[in-house]
């Protein structure tokens, strides 16, 4: 997977929304200014989501330059945490949940009323 090839050791989720029209320089400024983190930290993948939850961008410093990643879900949307403007560190398991479209910071099983199933 990408984590192995790119040497990703840490994944940081930028909660809230970001203008996905921004490129490398704009996203790097957001990392430093809004979240107070170092965008040049090698092995750290920063993830961003816009208003539409069917796509996200990632920014990764490779040591010699930035790698800009873009993912668009063909069917469905991600459950991206929108309630805060903080950056959250994700575990490997939480990252995989996010890539499946789940909210990695608020994993809840929905209550199902059996009478409404049929």
């Amino acid at each position: 997977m990408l984590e192995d090839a790119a040497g990703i050791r840490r994944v940081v989720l930028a909660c809230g929304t970001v203008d996905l029209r921004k490129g490398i320089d704009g996203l790097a400024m957001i990392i430093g200014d809004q979240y107070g983190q170092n965008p040049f930290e090698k092995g750290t993948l920063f993830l961003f989501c816009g208003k539409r939850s069917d796509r996200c961008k990632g920014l990764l410093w490779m040591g010699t330059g930035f790698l800009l990643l873009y993912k668009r879900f063909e069917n469905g949307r991600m459950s991206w945490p929108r309630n805060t403007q903080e950056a959250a560190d994700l575990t490997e398991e939480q990252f995989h949940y996010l890539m499946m479209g789940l909210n990695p910071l608020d994993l809840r099983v929905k209550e199902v009323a059996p009478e409404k199933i049929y």
Side-chain angles (χ1 to χ4, degrees):
M1 282 210 45
L2 176 66
E3 304 95 51
D4 300 328
I8 297 172
R9 295 183 302 272
R10 181 175 170 229
V11 177
V12 178
L13 182 79
C15 301
T17 60
V18 172
D19 183 359
L20 290 185
R21 294 176 294 178
K22 292 190 182 294
I24 291 171
D25 295 332
L27 294 175
M29 285 182 56
I30 289 172
I31 292 167
D33 294 344
Q34 188 172 342
Y35 297 110
Q37 305 233 2
N38 180 11
F40 297 100
E41 185 178 324
K42 190 173 180 184
T44 300
L45 173 63
F46 294 93
L47 296 174
F48 304 91
C49 185
K51 289 181 182 176
R52 298 175 65 174
S53 297
D54 65 341
R55 55 198 76 198
C56 69
K57 274 190 175 179
L59 190 64
L60 175 68
W61 175 251
M62 300 291 292
T64 57
F66 281 105
L67 175 65
L68 184 64
L69 304 166
Y70 186 79
K71 179 169 183 160
R72 183 183 72 195
F73 284 91
E74 289 301 318
N75 190 9
R77 298 180 180 274
M78 293 180 293
S79 179
W80 197 272
R82 305 268 188 210
N83 56 351
T84 180
Q85 289 298 317
E86 297 178 355
D89 280 288
L90 297 183
T91 64
E92 186 176 340
E93 184 179 34
Q94 288 174 319
F95 174 70
H96 290 295
Y97 286 146
L98 179 67
M99 292 298 107
M100 290 189 307
L102 303 172
N103 183 339
L105 304 179
D106 187 24
L107 292 175
R108 285 187 276 168
V109 177
K110 293 182 180 179
E111 295 292 327
V112 177
E115 65 272 359
K116 295 183 180 180
I117 293 175
Y118 297 103

